[in-house]
């Protein structure tokens, strides 16, 4: 009987029935006693089950009550993830706008860096070009760009080979080609340009015309006839007519007549004028006044200079001097075009360098005050500290009513020199006032 009862009890403790009872007990909310009884029943059934069956593994025996007490899981493994919130169209559009703004900001920064880099590159290129241009304007470099153009008619005269030998010795460039004026010598300069060959040539204003004494006498006679006929330029001869036509086309031309003759009887002495007077008076009957009138007309009206030379050696020396002077011209013109030519570009005992941003102008103002007698650097520094520019000092003078107040404006300024203090005084103050306001250029300041 007991055996049957125990078997029946074993059948009741099946997992299906116990699970059904656990589910019913868990569905009863608020009945703690029922849950306790069900738990005790599970324990009794579990103990009877262990007594009558093979022993279970510790993991299974421990996990079964735990699984009975754990709440049911919904779905898959682990804790369920919260539902993702959907964004509105405004939020999506705002995010896109912020992304677009950041992208545009990066593009602007990249463009600004590229622009700055390009400006820096252009500035460096400009500085290199300016430095190269300044180097090309140096006389030693500019001399290589000059070409002496010689008319072939001059090579037919005796002694002309002296000129060619001198040019070859100095290694200067020269060309032998026909010129607008017969027996003339001109100069051309190569300028770097963006052309087909990278260079262009410009002709200098200087023109040298080499004539012997006989040809020059013909020129003087032609000029005298032209003056007597009230300026009618007809039948002027083989040299004067093309010369006047060239000067009419280009009034900037500067022509120099080199008069030479190898005959010892006609060597020029005392500048050649005395020999010319004697020759013209004896052969043509012209008076000294007529000759002077011709020379004044050539020099003042036509800008033609006259030089008498002994021979081709003197002609060669004169042409070499003109060539060297032309090589120095570009650099001199560059220095004369400066806004402040008295402020040299560099270190100098009596000058101050002025930068493009105006740095150094106050030192120039101080140097200007120191040009006055008995004005020391300390006094000039005191004046420039009170009035940093001449315009400010002039405005201060205009604000005062009387002449005496203007003269004594700077008298009370303290000058610190050698650890001592003193005032500028009325004498220096009045002298500075007269220097800046006087209208008479011959006024003595002291």
């Amino acid at each position: 009987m007991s055996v049957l009862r125990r078997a029946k009890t074993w059948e009741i403790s099946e997992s299906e029935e116990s699970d059904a009872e656990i589910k019913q007990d868990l569905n009863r909310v608020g009945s703690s006693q029922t849950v306790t009884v069900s738990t005790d029943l599970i324990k009794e059934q579990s103990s009877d089950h262990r007594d009558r069956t093979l022993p279970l593994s510790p993991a299974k025996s421990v996990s079964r009550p735990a699984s009975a007490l754990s709440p049911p899981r919904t779905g898959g493994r682990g804790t369920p993830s919260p539902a993702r919130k959907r964004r509105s169209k405004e939020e999506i559009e705002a995010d896109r706008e912020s992304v677009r703004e950041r992208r545009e900001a990066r593009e602007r920064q990249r463009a600004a860096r590229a622009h700055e880099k390009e400006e820096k590159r252009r500035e460096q290129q400009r500085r290199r070009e300016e430095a190269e241009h300044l180097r090309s304007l140096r006389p030693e470099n500019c001399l290589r760009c000059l070409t002496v153009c010689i008319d072939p008619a001059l090579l037919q005269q005796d002694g002309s080979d002296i000129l060619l030998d001198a040019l070859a010795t100095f290694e200067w460039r020269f060309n032998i080609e026909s010129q607008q004026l017969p027996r003339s010598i001109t100069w051309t300069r190569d300028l770097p340009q963006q052309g087909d060959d990278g260079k262009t040539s410009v002709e200098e204003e200087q023109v040298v015309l080499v004539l012997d004494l006989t040809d020059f006498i013909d020129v003087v006679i032609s000029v005298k006839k032209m003056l007597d006929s009230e300026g009618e330029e007809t039948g002027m001869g083989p040299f004067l007519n093309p010369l006047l036509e060239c000067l009419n086309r280009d009034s900037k031309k500067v022509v120099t007549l080199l008069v030479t003759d190898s005959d010892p009887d006609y060597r020029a002495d005392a500048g050649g004028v005395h020999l010319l007077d004697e020759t013209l008076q004896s052969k043509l009957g012209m008076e000294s006044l007529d000759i002077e009138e011709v020379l004044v007309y050539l020099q003042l009206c036509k800008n033609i200079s006259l030089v008498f030379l002994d021979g081709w050696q003197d002609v060669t020396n004169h042409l070499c001097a003109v060539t060297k002077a032309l090589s120095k011209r570009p650099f001199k013109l560059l220095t004369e075009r400066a806004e402040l030519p008295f402020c040299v570009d560099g270190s100098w005992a009596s000058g101050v360098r002025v930068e493009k941003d105006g740095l150094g102008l106050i030192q120039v103002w101080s140097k200007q005050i120191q040009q006055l007698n008995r004005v020391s650097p300390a006094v000039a520094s005191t004046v420039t500290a009170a009035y940093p520019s001449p315009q400010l000092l002039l405005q201060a003078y205009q604000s005062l009513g009387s002449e005496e107040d203007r003269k004594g404006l700077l008298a009370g300024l303290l000058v610190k020199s050698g650890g001592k203090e003193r005032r500028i005084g009325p004498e220096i103050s009045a002298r500075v006032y007269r220097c800046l306001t006087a209208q008479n250029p011959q006024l003595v300041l002291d």
Side-chain angles (χ1 to χ4, degrees), residues 220-426:
V220 172
I221 295 174
S222 300
V223 173
K224 180 59 179 175
K225 292 181 179 179
M226 182 182 64
L227 295 178
D228 293 341
S229 61
E230 298 181 357
E232 184 179 356
E233 299 180 0
T234 56
M236 295 293 102
F239 296 103
L240 184 61
N241 191 20
L243 178 59
L244 296 180
E245 290 180 357
C246 178
L247 294 177
N248 292 333
R249 287 193 304 267
D250 190 358
S251 60
K252 295 182 180 180
K253 290 291 185 180
V254 179
V255 181
T256 302
L257 293 181
L258 301 182
V259 181
T260 179
D261 200 305
S262 58
D263 191 349
D265 297 335
Y266 294 98
R267 290 294 175 91
D269 55 349
V273 179
H274 179 67
L275 176 61
L276 181 64
D277 292 345
E278 291 182 356
T279 302
L280 294 177
Q281 289 177 5
S282 60
K283 292 185 177 182
L284 302 177
M286 297 180 64
E287 299 180 357
S288 299
L289 185 61
D290 297 333
I291 299 173
E292 292 179 359
E293 182 182 3
V294 171
L295 298 180
V296 168
Y297 172 79
L298 292 176
Q299 186 171 3
L300 297 183
C301 299
K302 298 301 180 178
N303 196 20
I304 299 176
S305 301
L306 181 63
V307 179
F308 289 91
L309 300 175
D310 289 340
W312 269 97
Q313 184 61 51
D314 293 343
V315 172
T316 301
N317 296 337
H318 181 85
L319 293 176
C320 291
V322 173
T323 304
K324 293 180 180 180
L326 291 176
S327 66
K328 298 177 182 179
R329 172 184 289 183
F331 188 77
K332 290 184 178 180
L333 292 178
L334 182 64
T335 55
E336 292 176 358
R337 276 200 300 267
E339 297 180 359
L340 300 175
F342 57 89
C343 299
V344 296
D345 188 8
S347 178
W348 185 41
S350 301
V352 179
R353 180 175 180 176
V354 179
E355 303 292 342
K356 294 182 179 180
D357 56 354
L359 183 63
L361 287 176
I362 190 170
Q363 285 82 5
V364 176
W365 169 224
S366 178
K367 288 286 185 180
Q368 184 177 359
I369 300 176
Q370 294 180 40
Q371 291 178 355
L372 301 176
N373 292 334
R374 298 182 300 279
V375 175
S376 62
V379 174
S381 299
T382 302
V383 175
T384 56
Y387 302 96
S389 67
Q391 186 65 28
L392 295 177
L393 184 56
L394 291 175
Q395 293 176 2
Y397 285 145
Q398 294 175 0
S399 62
L400 299 177
S402 62
E403 188 77 10
E404 295 298 328
D405 294 340
R406 297 191 186 100
K407 291 181 178 180
L409 177 62
L410 305 177
L413 297 180
L414 293 177
V415 180
K416 296 181 180 180
S417 176
K420 299 180 181 180
E421 291 186 356
R422 62 181 180 87
R423 299 185 183 276
I424 290 181

Side-chain angles (χ1 to χ4, degrees), residues 169-221:
T169 303
F170 290 121
E171 297 182 355
W172 294 347
R173 296 188 304 178
F174 63 93
N175 291 333
I176 301 175
E177 56 185 7
S178 299
Q179 304 295 317
Q180 295 181 356
L181 297 177
R183 301 184 184 181
S184 65
I185 299 175
T186 59
W187 287 264
T188 59
R189 185 192 308 274
D190 294 337
L191 298 179
Q193 296 290 338
Q194 298 297 330
D196 297 336
D197 54 352
K199 292 184 179 180
T200 57
S201 298
V202 59
E203 187 175 354
E204 297 289 343
E205 292 84 2
Q206 296 291 332
V207 178
V208 173
L209 190 62
V210 182
L211 300 177
D212 53 18
L213 186 59
T214 305
D215 296 331
F216 179 70
I217 291 175
D218 295 338
V219 171
V220 172
I221 295 174

